[in-house]
Amino acid sequence: MEKLSNPQVTIEIIKKYNFAFQKKFGQNFLIDGHVINKIISAAEITKEDCVLEIGPGIGTMTQYLAEAAGHVCAVEIDKNLLPVLDETLAEYNNVTVINNDILKTDINEIVDKYNNGMPIKVVANLPYYITTPIIMGLFESHVPLLSVTVMVQKEVADRMQTGPGSKDYGALSLAVQYYAKPYIVANVPPNCFIPRPNVGSAVIRLTRYEEPPVIVQDEKLMFKLIRASFNQRRKTLQNGLANSSELSFSKEDIAEALEKMDLSPTVRGESLSLAEFATLSDILSGR
Ligand code: SAM
């Protein structure tokens, strides 16, 4: 069949199945083959790869992935899309469609079953309403993976890539950058989708580090410190951490730690780098 990246083919399939787009599932389907090729080449997909696609929709990118990869597992929540995918992916014998919520899917089980536990690549045009839980879930559950190459809201891509001092810098930047090296591949305008989203989009590749870029004694404590300092953005780091219900350090403990690090007592969380949060965490965990 002619590819779904041809908008006419997508429109015909949608009509044929009388498919109703569900806003609650973040359904914006790609209709641009150039964008899909960019995603696949940024992800460096080869026949050696097992790819996990999150939310195949009607199978537009899945068609390209099936041609480039060894195997594709596509997890789709909307059961109304299953008969559509049966037709649009009929000519590929290396695609497994799994009807499930990705946030409730045991991805480690998929990796074991379809790639003998070897690292996979994740490629997706993500449903934007759950971008952060999907990405953090992939990293925090320690799924063996090489990279995550995904379409996200432009603003979220910026947040993942940016460093201290920028208004976009926050807990997501630090969490992503602890696990992976981010690289924005392309900006994608709304007219590359049906229906058009009301925000700009970007493709970002997150290449998983084999070893984290900073060594920290207590990873959990570091992330608690990060969350607490960005929860109260307008406060000084000292007040933000001392007031956090997740932590039990006094203002004096924090003042002492900041002094050891040669940081001003009025420093704000958004000016600390990942390495500085790791140092702060190591000093405080020794208390
Ligand atoms: N990959 C297709 C494309 O590029 O045309 C569709 C992308 S669309 C932005 C997001 C897809 O994710 C939709 O098909 C939607 O139904 C699916 N989806 C939404 N929430 C999901 C969830 N929790 N688990 C799995 N799939 C989900």
Side-chain angles (χ1 to χ4, degrees), residues 25-30 53-57 60-61 75-78 81 100-103 125-127 129-130:
F25 288 146
Q27 292 176 337
N28 300 95
F29 299 159
L30 273 166
E53 186 188 11
I54 299 163
T60 315
M61 187 152 66
V75 178
E76 174 56 60
I77 197 169
D78 186 352
L81 288 165
N100 205 1
D101 178 344
I102 191 66
L103 297 177
N125 169 17
L126 286 179
Y129 73 107
I130 43 170

Side-chain angles (χ1 to χ4, degrees), residues 166-240:
S166 143
K167 71 167 176 28
D168 293 324
Y169 186 59
L172 181 65
S173 330
L174 285 154
V176 163
Q177 292 165 29
Y178 179 69
Y179 292 107
K181 189 175 164 55
Y183 164 66
I184 294 183
V185 176
N187 290 324
V188 181
N191 62 7
C192 295
F193 304 83
I194 284 182
R196 294 180 184 196
N198 46 22
V199 291
S201 302
V203 178
I204 189 164
R205 173 178 160 145
L206 308 171
T207 310
R208 183 82 161 95
Y209 289 125
E210 279 178 33
E211 299 291 335
V214 300
I215 308 293
V216 62
Q217 286 163 27
D218 184 347
E219 204 177 287
K220 285 209 172 101
L221 173 62
M222 180 177 76
F223 280 113
K224 278 187 193 168
L225 293 169
I226 290 173
R227 273 196 302 273
S229 27
F230 288 97
N231 261 345
Q232 299 177 308
R233 259 187 187 265
R234 285 179 308 273
K235 288 211 167 124
T236 62
L237 185 67
Q238 205 176 119
N239 284 335

Side-chain angles (χ1 to χ4, degrees), residues 63-127:
Q63 294 180 328
Y64 286 70
L65 286 169
E67 285 173 12
H71 195 85
V72 183
C73 291
V75 178
E76 174 56 60
I77 197 169
D78 186 352
K79 65 175 180 345
N80 294 333
L81 288 165
L82 301 181
V84 185
L85 288 166
D86 270 348
E87 175 174 341
T88 60
L89 302 175
E91 64 194 73
Y92 305 105
N93 57 10
N94 61 342
V95 180
T96 310
V97 174
I98 301 165
N99 180 210
N100 205 1
D101 178 344
I102 191 66
L103 297 177
K104 294 183 185 145
T105 303
D106 183 345
I107 301 172
N108 281 300
E109 200 180 294
I110 294 182
V111 176
D112 285 344
K113 187 163 172 193
Y114 295 99
N115 208 32
N116 296 319
M118 302 290 287
I120 55 158
K121 290 179 179 170
V122 176
V123 179
N125 169 17
L126 286 179

